[in-house]
Amino acid sequence: TTGKLILFATNGRFYTLSCDKLPGGRGHGEPVRLMIDLDNEHDLVALLAHDPERNLLVAGHDGRGFIVAERDVVAATRNGKQVLNVPDGVEAVVCAVANGSHVAVIGENRKLLIFGCEEVPEMNRGRGVILQRYKDGGLSDAKMFNLKDGLAWRDRAGREHRETALKDWLGSRAQAGRLAPRG
């Protein structure tokens, strides 16, 4: 195939791998770190099949993030392309497909905040805007979804849950949020 894989790492860089350069199905494989220049102190956050028509939501542990067009994250070199600027002590933690009407962010303190996707800017690179504020801890996860369909998630046992009564968690970007439902 002539397709590409997009990898997002905790250093805020996107890396691109051509599928034809991947090792064959036999053997023991090859570490990804040998195919791209990823330092040992950083890890991968997400791996996606490249779709140039798609947008991505990226965010760091400090709760800052933005939407980026996937066609703008393709890296030409093994060093990758810096998209999310993360200061010292902060790592990138979220790379999600930006498809929906609302953004749900949850912190390590289990507080959930839901706001409209129009409050998140589309940028090519930078730190982004504050998605959620934290007194202690940081961003745990974020996703975009359609409010009319409800918010779906999987618990630790792999069961899927869906919450449609989300009025209590609706707010504006950069608020603290309220405790999430069980699970």
Side-chain angles (χ1 to χ4, degrees):
T1 180
T2 59
K4 296 179 181 176
L5 294 177
I6 302 293
L7 295 87
F8 185 59
T10 56
N11 59 1
R13 288 183 172 273
F14 277 92
Y15 300 90
T16 305
L17 287 176
S18 283
C19 292
D20 61 340
K21 302 282 191 263
L22 296 175
R26 297 177 187 217
H28 298 292
E30 183 178 333
V32 171
R33 290 183 192 275
L34 296 179
M35 297 179 206
I36 59 176
D37 285 341
L38 181 63
D39 295 334
N40 287 333
E41 62 265 8
H42 297 292
D43 292 316
L44 292 178
V45 174
L47 176 111
L48 302 163
H50 178 58
D51 180 0
E53 303 301 319
R54 192 167 51 183
N55 290 335
L56 301 172
L57 173 68
V58 294
H61 187 259
D62 59 354
R64 291 180 168 271
F66 59 91
I67 295 172
V68 62
E70 194 169 326
R71 67 182 169 277
D72 295 335
V73 302
V74 176
T77 65
R78 289 173 41 118
N79 290 336
K81 184 172 186 179
Q82 186 72 45
V83 174
L84 180 65
N85 295 336
V86 289
D88 290 338
V90 176
E91 291 186 334
V93 294
V94 172
C95 178
V97 175
N99 185 13
S101 63
H102 284 73
V103 178
V105 291
I106 189 163
E108 292 171 342
N109 58 3
R110 290 199 51 237
K111 288 193 176 181
L112 175 67
L113 177 64
I114 299 172
F115 53 89
C117 66
E118 66 277 354
E119 295 186 53
V120 182
E122 186 170 329
M123 302 168 60
N124 289 335
R125 80 179 274 171
R127 284 188 69 193
V129 296
I130 297 173
L131 301 177
Q132 186 178 20
R133 292 200 188 273
Y134 311 101
K135 285 185 180 175
D136 54 348
L139 180 69
S140 178
D141 199 6
K143 75 182 281 186
M144 290 184 74
F145 70 102
N146 287 316
L147 188 62
K148 63 180 178 162
D149 298 335
L151 180 61
W153 71 93
R154 291 192 184 278
D155 62 12
R156 290 183 180 154
R159 297 177 296 241
E160 185 169 318
H161 300 273
R162 184 173 301 273
E163 182 72 42
T164 55
L166 299 169
K167 183 177 66 168
D168 293 341
W169 295 281
L170 285 174
S172 296
R173 181 186 60 76
Q175 291 179 333
R178 298 181 63 178
L179 281 177
R182 298 288 286 156

